[in-house]
Amino acid sequence: MNSAIVSLKPEISADDFDAEKIRADFPILKLKIDGKPLVYLDNAASSQMPQQVIDRLVRYQTTQHANINRAVHYLSEVATMEYHNARCKLQQFVNAREDREIIFTSGTTDSINLVMHGYGRKFIKAGDEIILTTLEHHSNIVPWQMLANEKGAKIRVVPINDKGELEVDEYEKLFNERTKFVGLIHVSNALGTINPIKHMIDFAHQHGIPVLIDGAQAAQHIIIDVQALDCDFYAFSAHKLCGPTGVGILQPFKGGGDMIASVTFEETLYNTIPHKFEAGTPPIAAAIGFGAAVDYLAAIGIERIAAYELSLLNYATERLNDIPGVKIIGTAAEKTAVISFTIDGIHPHDIGTILNQDGVAVRTGHHCAQPVMQHFNVPATSRASFAFYNKKTEVDALVAGIKNVQKVFL
Ligand SMILES: Cc1ncc(COP(=O)(O)O)c(C=O)c1O
């Protein structure tokens, strides 16, 4: 057993979690790939959608669809109300103070870019420093690099240890009078490490520095309370929370309506949040589906999901550690159910290809987290990422698949 793995919520047991019953909600899980049952272990990339969310999308498209905020006819009023209801569901889900703090974007990447353009370009100047971490997804690196290049600012990077945990002492040492912004990943997509963001946010605030949290890998596994976290920006995408693609949120720190209040050729008066940042026709259907997805997750209970996923993580860690030649990359004390691994002598892409022939879907590559790969001195890993609808027999299928890969290549 990997001693690094601890219980996230010891008081909540995984014992009464009926994954089999939950699986019945997900039509796609009944698929067979080349005659083999689908074992879907690529949930960190995108999770699957339950019938409840699919039904909500169908109901919207078949009985409620129109453009919003513009017309006085029945359908437009219904669509406007349902879109607003979705915002309120997201507000509750992250415990934001007001519904207008929920800005619908096209996803995490879009949210981060919005902060870079809206906040960064106004407040970051030549010589300023932006703190990021080695664990960041490229989505939370590239926009800041673009800004730094444009402005003549500098990126400072928090290192990680060999378990894949952030070196928080080093983070604290990076602060100085030039520090102007911190961008932090809540949970590493490549390794599953859960970062001590509360402490890191508090520390930045003691220095008067705003913090953006990339929550793309967190909100489906951890209860998010943006008021308790007191972060300045929190971002995540619906498609990793059993919702549709093409929508996400940005929760900014201040309540501030359509982007434009009035336009004449002389001047444009900008509206208040969230509308100011939701120019044009937003992803209405996707946002409503997002609302249904967070309802679905909340009904099961994020803490119960976390406890069950932890039991899967512990089981999978034990089983993979037992296979000679398999090395787990990322053994942080606090992890979500993500296992990145390498197999001696076999390229991750070959691993992914052979596993696919057994119906097992894992992600192989650098996971858009190349600084993490560089730290561990590997070009790529194979990544099994579990959701609450996965089961131990699927871990067994992964293990059998890995042994088969070794048979084919070694
Ligand atoms: C940690 C993290 N940040 C950002 C993203 C980008 O999310 P999206 O592609 O939905 O914008 C991902 C997606 O894998 C991620 O895992």
Side-chain angles (χ1 to χ4, degrees):
M1 165 89 183
N2 186 332
S3 63
I5 291 174
V6 295
S7 176
L8 300 174
K9 297 274 176 199
E11 69 279 14
I12 296 184
S13 153
D15 296 346
D16 63 343
F17 197 89
D18 191 344
E20 209 58 67
K21 187 164 166 241
I22 281 170
R23 291 176 69 81
D25 290 338
F26 291 81
I28 206 165
L29 298 179
K30 299 184 183 75
L31 273 186
K32 295 217 157 54
I33 309 293
D34 282 342
K36 312 238 173 69
L38 168 68
V39 176
Y40 187 75
L41 303 180
D42 194 18
N43 295 288
S46 222
S47 57
Q48 299 296 349
M49 198 183 274
Q51 191 65 49
Q52 289 85 338
V53 177
I54 298 168
D55 288 347
R56 185 66 193 90
L57 292 171
V58 171
R59 181 155 74 89
Y60 171 74
Q61 293 298 164
T62 53
T63 67
Q64 298 181 320
H65 174 65
N67 212 324
I68 58 168
N69 294 337
R70 285 165 205 189
V72 292
H73 62 78
Y74 169 82
L75 278 181
S76 180
E77 286 188 351
V78 170
T80 302
M81 188 183 74
E82 294 299 342
Y83 182 70
H84 176 72
N85 286 345
R87 198 187 302 284
C88 296
K89 288 174 194 290
L90 265 299
Q91 175 204 348
Q92 270 187 1
F93 189 70
V94 300
N95 193 33
R97 260 177 235 100
E98 299 179 58
D99 57 68
R100 61 186 179 160
E101 287 178 28
I102 302 299
I103 297 168
F104 284 118
T105 64
S106 71
T108 311
T109 306
D110 189 35
S111 298
I112 294 169
N113 276 279
L114 185 55
V115 177
M116 185 279 269
H117 287 285
Y119 182 91
R121 295 183 88 189
K122 185 164 170 69
F123 294 108
I124 309 277
K125 309 226 157 24
D128 287 349
E129 295 183 0
I130 300 165
I131 297 179
L132 303 175
T133 82
T134 305
L135 292 177
E136 298 314 308
H137 186 280
H138 295 173
S139 289
N140 202 23
I141 299 175
V142 178
W144 302 111
Q145 258 170 359
M146 290 164 69
L147 181 73
N149 289 339
E150 179 187 315
K151 300 280 187 180
K154 192 171 168 193
I155 310 268
R156 310 286 307 272
V157 184
V158 184
I160 54 175
N161 64 24
D162 287 340
K163 291 178 171 175
E165 299 167 319
L166 290 178
E167 295 196 7
V168 178
D169 289 355
E170 298 300 319
Y171 165 72
E172 295 179 2
K173 286 184 204 152
L174 290 177
F175 281 78
N176 62 49
E177 66 286 351
R178 294 181 298 280
T179 309
K180 288 291 157 16
F181 194 80
V182 173
L184 283 179
I185 191 167
H186 194 163
V187 172
S188 159
N189 61 306
L191 307 178
T193 310
I194 303 173
N195 294 318
I197 61 163
K198 177 63 186 150
H199 170 83
M200 295 172 81
I201 294 166
D202 288 348
F203 189 85
H205 286 177
Q206 281 159 25
H207 292 76
I209 306 304
V211 183
L212 161 86
I213 302 296
D214 172 352
Q217 296 293 335
Q220 60 279 54
H221 307 292
I222 297 170
I223 289 180
I224 305 302
D225 180 336
V226 290
Q227 293 190 58
L229 284 174
D230 193 29
C231 54
D232 301 278
F233 304 95
Y234 198 98
F236 59 94
S237 311
H239 67 98
K240 297 180 197 284
L241 282 86
C242 303
T245 53
V247 68
I249 64 155
L250 174 67
Q251 189 273 333
F253 63 110
K254 266 192 194 129
D258 289 338
M259 184 174 176
I260 302 301
S262 82
V263 179
T264 64
F265 280 108
E266 286 70 43
E267 68 169 351
T268 296
L269 295 175
Y270 289 93
N271 217 330
T272 52
I273 73 162
H275 308 291
K276 172 176 176 169
F277 299 113
E278 294 181 2
T281 301
I284 309 167
I288 290 170
F290 195 1
V294 297
D295 272 354
Y296 179 83
L297 293 176
I300 297 171
I302 296 287
E303 283 174 309
R304 290 182 68 230
I305 286 174
Y308 175 71
E309 289 176 345
L310 181 66
S311 71
L312 279 181
L313 173 67
N314 288 340
Y315 180 66
T317 304
E318 256 179 75
R319 297 276 340 249
L320 263 69
N321 275 336
D322 275 351
I323 312 175
V326 171
K327 183 170 180 228
I328 295 179
I329 310 282
T331 52
E334 296 276 339
K335 270 186 75 166
T336 58
V338 168
I339 298 190
S340 252
F341 62 95
T342 56
I343 307 181
D344 287 348
I346 312 176
H347 194 277
H349 291 296
D350 294 330
I351 298 170
T353 305
I354 302 296
L355 284 176
N356 179 55
Q357 291 168 7
D358 288 334
V360 180
V362 298
R363 176 55 61 101
T364 57
H366 53 60
H367 318 293
C368 296
Q370 279 178 309
V372 176
M373 302 296 117
Q374 283 150 15
H375 174 90
F376 288 99
N377 208 17
V378 291
T381 68
S382 304
R383 181 188 69 184
S385 54
F386 300 88
F388 55 95
Y389 43 70
N390 289 123
K391 44 188 188 170
K392 285 189 176 167
T393 51
E394 294 184 306
V395 174
D396 298 339
L398 171 67
V399 168
I402 290 172
K403 290 181 177 165
N404 185 35
V405 171
Q406 289 177 313
K407 230 186 272 164
V408 172
F409 284 100
L410 299 177

